[in-house]
Amino acid sequence: MWKELFQVLSDNNPVEPMTEELMQMLQITKQMSEIVHGHVFDQDFALDQRSEIYKLDVKVNKLERSIRKRVITHLSVSNDHAPYCLLLMSLIKDAERVGDYLKNISEVPELGGAKIPDGPLKQELTEIIGVATELLMATPDILNTEDTDRATDLLQTGRNTAKRCDLLLVELAKSDLNAAQTTSMVLLTRFHKRLGAHLLNILSSV
């Protein structure tokens, strides 16, 4: 449906700015990821980095509200493109949640987490995070180019990775990590699973 949406909104349509703002949301979450994932394991964020993460999240939220307002205004005066407007409403909610989960990942130390020691569990989480990051970085370009083959490949990879998250949680229950380390592992696993799920929702529109 994204192809049809892209075509509709490329014909000097009043709804077109909404698509541009969605792409801005995704680009901002990429900036957030670059900060967050630089410290995902040591959880050693400087004050200016934490401040920047929150500022970027606020920008994402403002763009979501802007698009939502535009959609409601457009539909209140015209029934044109209603299915595409509803699709946009769904996509912006997923993009907003991506920003929220990136912010949550940076808050793990405040939630009782600690630095994670090297070992097989950390390696598995590293690979899971790698997939989530790949999804995040690739999504804007895939939407722009309407690359259905790439979207299909990443959808399958993402779904398989979600299953790996569930298996990792089972292994954590049997590990000898201390409470703080386990907290970090569990939260990071869950947050990245949800992060990936929202990105998969966006990719599925292609």
Side-chain angles (χ1 to χ4, degrees):
M1 194 170 184
W2 175 261
K3 288 184 177 180
E4 290 84 353
L5 173 64
F6 191 81
Q7 182 60 48
V8 165
L9 302 184
S10 296
D11 295 332
N12 297 316
N13 190 281
V15 189
E16 183 176 358
M18 302 181 202
T19 305
E20 296 173 355
E21 289 185 335
L22 169 62
M23 299 306 293
Q24 289 179 40
M25 292 176 73
L26 294 174
Q27 292 296 336
I28 292 171
T29 59
K30 286 175 64 174
Q31 295 177 47
M32 294 177 70
S33 175
E34 289 170 358
I35 300 172
V36 169
H37 287 111
H39 297 278
V40 69
F41 286 116
D42 61 34
Q43 295 292 310
D44 185 21
F45 293 95
L47 289 177
D48 61 330
Q49 291 174 320
R50 178 61 59 80
S51 176
E52 183 65 14
I53 291 167
Y54 278 84
K55 287 179 181 178
L56 291 171
D57 185 55
V58 168
K59 288 182 179 181
V60 170
N61 294 340
K62 286 182 177 179
L63 284 166
E64 184 207 13
R65 291 195 294 271
S66 173
I67 297 171
R68 190 168 62 233
K69 182 178 180 181
R70 287 172 184 268
V71 168
I72 293 171
T73 300
H74 178 74
L75 292 178
S76 68
V77 298
S78 172
N79 289 325
D80 292 343
H81 314 121
Y84 307 108
C85 288
L86 295 175
L87 172 61
L88 262 178
M89 292 285 272
S90 175
L91 294 177
I92 63 172
K93 186 59 182 175
D94 283 311
E96 186 270 338
R97 293 302 292 155
V98 167
D100 281 347
Y101 278 111
L102 287 167
K103 182 179 67 175
N104 292 156
I105 291 166
S106 75
E107 296 170 336
V108 168
E110 300 170 11
L111 299 173
K115 184 176 180 179
I116 299 169
D118 293 335
L121 294 176
K122 180 179 178 180
Q123 180 58 38
E124 177 65 2
L125 180 57
T126 299
E127 294 178 13
I128 288 169
I129 291 173
V131 172
T133 304
E134 181 183 8
L135 291 171
L136 182 60
M137 295 301 171
T139 294
D141 289 338
I142 289 174
L143 292 182
N144 272 327
T145 60
E146 303 171 25
D147 189 343
T148 55
D149 289 339
R150 179 69 170 143
T152 300
D153 288 343
L154 286 178
L155 282 167
Q156 187 58 54
T157 300
R159 289 167 183 152
N160 290 339
T161 303
K163 296 177 183 177
R164 291 173 67 180
C165 288
D166 294 335
L167 292 174
L168 179 55
L169 291 174
V170 173
E171 292 302 312
L172 286 171
K174 299 182 290 185
S175 76
D176 57 359
L177 297 176
N178 64 37
Q181 293 166 344
T182 301
T183 296
S184 283
M185 286 289 298
V186 169
L187 290 176
L188 290 174
T189 300
R190 290 294 299 170
F191 289 158
H192 281 93
K193 180 182 179 182
R194 296 307 307 151
L195 177 67
H198 287 289
L199 290 164
L200 293 182
N201 286 344
I202 296 173
L203 284 174
S204 67
S205 69
V206 179

